[in-house]
Amino acid sequence: MTLVPFSDLARAAYCPRQLYYVRRDDERSVPPKARERIDLAFRYDELVDAADRVLRQLPLHRSPATYRRNLAQLRERDEYDRLVDPASERGFLSGKDCHGTVHKVLEPDGKETEGADADDPEPSPPPIPTLVSSGEPPENGVWEPQAVRAVGLAKALAWDREREIERALVEYPAVGVVREVRLTLRKKAAYREALRAARSIDGPPPRVDDDRCNACDYAAECGTRRRSLRSLLG
């Protein structure tokens, strides 16, 4: 069965019709400004004590003082050292159902983990995949499409390592916060629904017409009553 890109999972969870247009146009490029914000996830140790003048030159979503405070709180987390120095960065990961880029893989000891064996019946803690987002987090948790993509990462890593992966992380480096995604029954069900939607698209899916359309670049072409910011400014 065809493997689904991780990014397609997120789009299918957000709006299958948007995914149809993206596939039709073969447009999955990351905008330059978003790429700059994603790159911040690999500079935490450098930025946590950076001066205001340095931070003001970066594409942050927070003031320098708030950003430093957020990174200082992040530094207190158990995963911080591994976020700063992950076992792998921007690697390609392929699972049973989906594939694509995993921004980081965090290992408990910095090395690839293994399951239990005859000499050591206790398996080492599982690795943690991370997804880096260029945007803003919600007040609590992560956005549903990002949660679906994070579950896809975890399931692909579990397939690759032949062991259960219980959680993933979503990083918001332009804000300086990291959120956890647990593979609950509800989140795994949302993942399966998005996977089915992504695989079933062979023509334009039904339109939606709600707040999702406000942020969609295809709103005008789609024929909804709402118009995207890009269409209004164009």
Side-chain angles (χ1 to χ4, degrees):
M1 192 170 290
T2 303
L3 296 180
V4 175
F6 295 130
S7 60
D8 283 14
L9 277 177
R11 290 187 185 276
Y14 186 76
C15 174
R17 192 175 178 94
Q18 184 189 80
L19 175 56
Y20 164 78
Y21 288 124
V22 168
R23 286 178 173 175
R24 183 199 63 183
D25 297 344
D26 194 22
E27 180 49 68
R28 292 184 176 86
S29 61
V30 179
K33 187 62 70 174
R35 192 176 298 277
E36 288 179 32
R37 293 190 174 106
I38 288 171
D39 288 345
L40 297 173
F42 304 90
R43 300 175 60 187
Y44 293 141
D45 236 15
E46 168 194 346
L47 301 177
V48 67
D49 296 315
D52 284 11
R53 60 178 176 78
V54 173
L55 295 179
R56 288 196 185 100
Q57 297 175 14
L58 301 175
L60 303 179
H61 290 314
R62 296 292 184 271
S63 69
T66 300
Y67 190 70
R68 276 194 303 270
R69 184 164 60 249
N70 288 349
L71 287 187
Q73 293 173 353
L74 180 61
R75 189 160 50 180
E76 300 301 314
R77 291 182 59 149
D78 291 340
E79 305 96 349
Y80 179 75
D81 288 342
R82 289 176 287 158
L83 285 167
V84 170
D85 186 21
S88 67
E89 298 180 0
R90 294 184 170 106
F92 181 82
L93 181 63
S94 183
K96 179 172 69 74
D97 297 311
C98 48
H99 65 170
T101 297
V102 55
H103 289 106
K104 300 177 186 177
V105 175
L106 315 185
E107 307 284 3
D109 56 1
K111 299 178 182 178
E112 185 168 316
T113 58
E114 302 292 344
D117 56 36
D119 297 325
D120 183 11
E122 289 294 325
S124 57
I128 306 170
T130 85
L131 164 66
V132 179
S133 168
S134 65
E136 286 266 3
E139 185 174 348
N140 297 294
V142 306
W143 303 111
E144 182 73 10
Q146 293 172 340
V148 166
R149 184 169 177 173
V151 171
L153 290 173
K155 283 188 164 292
L157 186 59
W159 175 267
D160 180 71
R161 300 292 181 86
E162 299 183 336
R163 63 175 307 180
E164 185 176 359
I165 305 296
E166 303 168 345
R167 63 185 179 125
L169 299 177
V170 179
E171 303 181 49
Y172 299 90
V175 179
V177 301
V178 175
R179 301 278 174 81
E180 181 181 78
V181 175
R182 288 276 176 182
L183 271 67
T184 62
L185 290 176
R186 188 190 71 79
K187 285 187 169 57
K188 288 189 282 189
Y191 160 80
R192 290 192 297 270
E193 182 179 350
L195 186 63
R196 286 194 296 269
R199 282 176 167 164
S200 66
I201 294 174
D202 59 3
R207 292 182 179 87
V208 300
D209 191 0
D210 55 29
D211 289 344
R212 287 173 290 177
C213 303
N214 294 334
C216 181
D217 291 334
Y218 296 97
E221 178 179 0
C222 184
T224 64
R225 293 189 300 272
R226 301 160 190 257
R227 298 183 63 193
S228 70
L229 179 60
R230 178 178 292 184
S231 70
L232 290 172
L233 295 179

